[in-house]
Amino acid sequence: MFRRRTALSVSATAALLAAAPLLAACGSDAHPGAAAIVDGKRITVSQLQAKVKDVRAAQAKSPQGSQMIMNTGRLSLATLNGMIFDEVLARGAKDAGVTVTRRDVQRWRAEAEKQAGGAERLKAMWLQQGVAPDEIDSTVRNQLLLDGVARHLGADRGKPQGQQKLAQALAKTSRSMGIDVNPRFGKWDDHQVILGETKEAWITREPAKQQA
């Protein structure tokens, strides 16, 4: 989950930012302005746009910016996928009685930074995956929540059977939340717990420390 950066000229930065998928601020007829509705909660197009622009702005500062943008070409869909999944995971963790403290996040991140070769190196590695620097703590928190839910289920995330058990539990949670995605972004798959168009099963990602 990872890689690195510096500064570009103003014109190059503008060009890279222009490459970010700009989404029209309109939603489905049923939910104007919404990219998705999760358990009655709106994820707005403007919220999605803000996250996408945050990532693109950070990528634009990297000497590998063009490559990063190529590698994250479907950033809008991947970002919406993550925003929906965050809600499903939060509910699943709450139902399982799993909590993560700020100290837990700091410890995990410190260890990940050590293994990655430093804080900046870790930021760059996450950025390659479309995670902006200011979203790292939230991403770490999700990894810890996944670990906690897996432990609650007695599922080993390092084994296919464990991943399947975790997926089944989160799929059940997902189905209970009435997830409705604006058709322009695709269709949410309750069984795989992903936005269909992304083809990315977030729950099977290895923790960042292992990949580093």
Side-chain angles (χ1 to χ4, degrees):
M1 216 175 241
F2 306 120
R3 295 170 213 175
R4 176 70 244 134
R5 66 163 145 215
T6 353
L8 291 174
S9 67
V10 174
S11 60
T13 299
L16 288 173
L17 288 173
L22 295 178
L23 310 170
C26 63
S28 65
D29 291 339
H31 308 295
I37 306 291
V38 182
D39 202 25
K41 176 181 176 181
R42 287 161 56 90
I43 295 177
T44 67
V45 173
S46 60
Q47 288 172 328
L48 175 57
Q49 281 183 323
K51 283 184 174 288
V52 170
K53 288 180 179 179
D54 192 25
V55 173
R56 290 302 190 219
Q59 289 177 335
K61 297 176 183 177
S62 169
Q64 288 87 38
S66 296
Q67 187 63 42
M68 285 184 179
I69 287 177
M70 278 181 54
N71 291 341
T72 54
R74 299 175 74 86
L75 183 59
S76 295
L77 296 181
T79 300
L80 181 57
N81 180 64
M83 293 172 79
I84 297 171
F85 182 78
D86 288 353
E87 297 294 331
V88 174
L89 177 58
R91 168 66 69 81
K94 181 179 179 180
D95 291 347
V98 175
T99 58
V100 172
T101 67
R102 180 169 176 75
R103 184 167 178 77
D104 292 333
V105 171
Q106 290 173 335
R107 281 181 185 152
W108 195 99
R109 183 167 176 171
E111 181 61 24
E113 288 173 351
K114 181 179 178 182
Q115 293 192 30
E120 292 306 308
R121 172 65 177 163
L122 185 67
K123 288 179 184 177
M125 293 163 79
W126 281 107
L127 189 57
Q128 285 282 356
Q129 299 300 313
V131 177
D134 59 0
E135 291 288 332
I136 291 178
D137 281 355
S138 294
T139 304
V140 168
R141 183 175 182 276
N142 281 349
Q143 291 289 350
L144 291 172
L145 287 176
L146 278 171
D147 287 340
V149 173
R151 282 194 300 273
H152 174 77
L153 295 170
D156 184 348
R157 288 184 66 198
K159 296 180 179 178
Q161 303 95 313
Q163 288 286 352
Q164 183 177 18
K165 191 171 185 178
L166 181 58
Q168 289 172 343
L170 289 176
K172 182 178 179 181
T173 299
S174 177
R175 288 193 295 273
S176 75
M177 297 177 75
I179 298 171
D180 179 18
V181 176
N182 185 323
R184 67 179 303 178
F185 298 111
K187 184 176 175 61
W188 181 255
D189 186 336
D190 281 319
H191 297 290
Q192 297 187 63
V193 202
I194 59 171
L195 184 59
E197 292 296 315
T198 65
K199 306 300 181 186
E200 179 181 2
W202 281 62
I203 62 170
T204 62
R205 279 186 171 179
E206 294 182 11
K209 285 189 295 185
Q210 294 179 14
Q211 292 195 13

